[in-house]
């Protein structure tokens, strides 16, 4: 008989219950939880992809926003950019170890949102 233990909820990181305005976590949270940040991280959780694949997967993203989002996530250490010195140029994007860890946490959130989105959006106003 296999017994599983329930997943532990991480402890609240701020012991005083305050979300400090100058905390670096706010900057990272802003990058990670932006609409495009979440979608790009989740797309890359399925493996390395090229620019055009990511643009197709994140339907509606502009070239400017894709470039900005990838650059931000790369700067934060979540995404790796691998430019290959061939003609025509080829650039692949993939998750780093931190990016994989983060995407694993985001996937259940995205699955929950997808499952409940229609009911939430179509909920009558109160």
């Amino acid at each position: 008989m296999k017994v599983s233990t329930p997943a532990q909820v991480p402890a609240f990181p701020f012991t005083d219950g305050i979300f400090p305005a100058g905390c670096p976590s706010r900057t990272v949270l802003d990058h990670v939880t932006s609409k495009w940040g979440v979608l790009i991280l989740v797309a890359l959780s399925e493996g390395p992809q090229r620019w055009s694949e990511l643009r197709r997967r994140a339907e509606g993203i502009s070239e400017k926003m894709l470039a900005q989002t990838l650059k931000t996530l790369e700067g934060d250490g979540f995404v790796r950019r691998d430019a290959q010195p061939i003609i025509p140029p080829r650039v692949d994007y993939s998750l780093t170890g931190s990016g994989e860890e983060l995407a694993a946490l985001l996937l259940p959130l995205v699955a929950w949102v997808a499952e409940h989105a229609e009911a939430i959006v179509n909920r009558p106003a109160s």
Side-chain angles (χ1 to χ4, degrees):
M1 177 171 155
K2 185 177 182 178
V3 177
S4 63
T5 58
Q8 281 193 299
V9 176
F12 188 73
F14 306 107
T15 57
D16 58 3
I18 303 295
F19 299 98
C23 183
S25 65
R26 285 196 183 193
T27 300
V28 176
L29 196 57
D30 183 47
H31 296 169
V32 168
T33 60
S34 71
K35 171 175 61 175
W36 301 121
V38 169
L39 295 178
I40 296 304
L41 288 164
V42 168
L44 287 173
S45 72
E46 296 177 5
Q49 294 174 52
R50 296 177 74 182
W51 172 277
S52 58
E53 293 172 288
L54 288 170
R55 181 123 192 259
R56 187 179 67 251
R57 305 259 334 259
E59 191 173 295
I61 192 170
S62 68
E63 287 189 18
K64 178 182 176 183
M65 279 309 303
L66 179 55
Q68 183 178 324
T69 302
L70 286 167
K71 186 175 183 175
T72 298
L73 294 173
E74 183 183 3
D76 290 342
F78 299 125
V79 170
R80 178 182 307 108
R81 182 181 187 274
D82 181 28
Q84 310 208 1
I86 58 173
I87 307 263
R90 178 185 172 114
V91 179
D92 291 304
Y93 296 91
S94 61
L95 294 177
T96 62
S98 293
E100 288 174 1
E101 192 176 336
L102 177 58
L105 295 168
L106 289 173
L107 284 167
L109 172 65
V110 171
W112 186 92
V113 169
E115 183 179 334
H116 296 90
E118 190 171 332
I120 292 167
V121 169
N122 294 324
R123 183 172 182 219
S126 37

